[in-house]
Amino acid sequence: MKRLTFILFALLITSSSLYAQERARTPIGGRPDVKGDLFLDFGFNLLNNRPTDLNTRFFASRTFNVYYQRPFNIGENTGLTFNPGIGLGLEKLSFQRDQMLINDPERGPNSSELVNITSVYGENISINGHTTAANYIDIPLELRYHLNKTDYSKGFRFAVGAKVGVLFDAHSKVSFETEEGLSRTVKDKQNLGFSPIRYGVYTRVGFGGFNVWSYYGLNSVWRNEQGPFNTEANQFNFGISVALF
């Protein structure tokens, strides 16, 4: 995880350097002439087709993606491009009523159940925050249409795409204060029954460096009968994004 974080920051630093080099040749309000797009997606992570007992907290269940995509023209001045890419998809879930996921010993190490946090860390604690993370290496494949057919960096664009992701990290994180006033943050790295592969479809609409997007997962978030309540819930994400170049 630390190595991937370092690679992410290196990528961001490189993109900033490229932006600085190209800005002098770019009109005010335009985008630097760098091949490809580096998208930073910010949004919210929802569970679809979930049981009532698996309710999540909206603002604490967030998603962050960073994707680099390279365009390939489909015909000259057609407005169409094919944009494959690669990046990281970082998902967080925070369950209501101060509940968290832990390993279910009856179903083995690659499973999870939903329990009260106090049943794990003690009754007399004050809970400050809690999340469950599922992080993926994603490969997005996107078909994009540009209304401005002579300059694809300007004007509105519409995109539909699909992506497949490979899970590389899953963990729960709880911050609390003990009865004695000791502040603790516990990070428990486990598979928690998450599916090792995810795949789904998405849309993206934007202008310049700003976009809105949504993603719908086509497979279950958890392995078959290995998630809490044997759920077959899938993902639905939406949010905004900015293109650094």
Side-chain angles (χ1 to χ4, degrees):
M1 181 63 181
K2 291 182 179 179
R3 183 175 298 177
L4 286 169
T5 302
F6 173 78
I7 293 172
L8 173 59
F9 277 108
L11 184 60
L12 293 176
I13 292 171
T14 302
S15 67
S16 299
S17 176
L18 288 171
Y19 180 86
Q21 294 173 19
E22 293 292 332
R23 188 172 181 180
R25 302 196 300 269
T26 304
I28 295 175
R31 297 176 60 197
D33 185 19
V34 178
K35 292 294 184 182
D37 298 287
L38 181 63
F39 287 114
L40 301 183
D41 296 342
F42 306 90
F44 298 100
N45 187 15
L46 306 178
L47 292 177
N48 193 34
N49 300 320
R50 54 164 173 71
T52 303
D53 291 335
L54 205 59
N55 288 338
T56 57
R57 299 190 299 159
F58 179 77
F59 289 105
S61 298
R62 300 182 297 272
T63 184
F64 172 71
N65 306 319
V66 53
Y67 296 144
Y68 172 75
Q69 293 178 262
R70 178 71 182 268
F72 294 91
N73 291 332
I74 303 177
E76 186 176 354
N77 295 330
T78 62
L80 289 172
T81 58
F82 174 62
N83 302 70
I86 191 169
L88 301 179
L90 311 179
E91 312 288 351
K92 286 186 178 181
L93 292 168
S94 182
F95 299 99
Q96 293 185 0
R97 298 184 298 277
D98 287 336
Q99 294 182 305
M100 64 178 290
L101 293 180
I102 64 170
N103 169 254
D104 184 352
E106 294 184 359
R107 290 183 292 171
N110 293 323
S111 65
S112 62
E113 62 177 335
L114 191 68
V115 300
N116 292 325
I117 294 175
T118 53
S119 69
V120 179
Y121 296 110
E123 295 291 336
N124 299 318
I125 62 173
S126 177
I127 300 169
N128 298 321
H130 55 92
T131 57
T132 297
N135 301 322
Y136 303 84
I137 298 175
D138 285 334
I139 298 177
L141 303 172
E142 182 177 303
L143 185 65
R144 196 178 301 172
Y145 178 70
H146 307 259
L147 290 184
N148 189 333
K149 297 181 181 180
T150 59
D151 188 349
Y152 290 174
S153 66
K154 298 179 181 179
F156 278 99
R157 58 186 174 274
F158 307 90
V160 294
K163 68 179 178 182
V164 59
V166 178
L167 183 73
F168 70 87
D169 175 70
H171 63 266
S172 63
K173 186 176 181 180
V174 180
S175 298
F176 60 91
E177 187 173 312
T178 66
E179 188 177 14
E180 295 78 18
L182 176 64
S183 294
R184 294 190 61 193
T185 297
V186 180
K187 183 177 179 180
D188 185 11
K189 189 171 182 178
Q190 294 191 56
N191 179 276
L192 295 173
F194 285 110
S195 296
I197 302 291
R198 72 167 178 179
Y199 52 90
V201 294
Y202 69 91
T203 61
R204 189 188 300 274
V205 180
F207 178 87
F210 177 81
N211 304 266
V212 294
W213 61 273
S214 64
Y215 166 78
Y216 185 82
L218 297 178
N219 69 314
S220 175
V221 174
W222 286 274
R223 297 171 184 260
N224 185 37
E225 297 185 352
Q226 295 300 300
F229 312 110
N230 294 325
T231 182
E232 297 181 358
N234 59 323
Q235 276 185 287
F236 175 69
N237 298 350
F238 67 94
I240 62 173
S241 69
V242 293
L244 297 188
F245 57 80

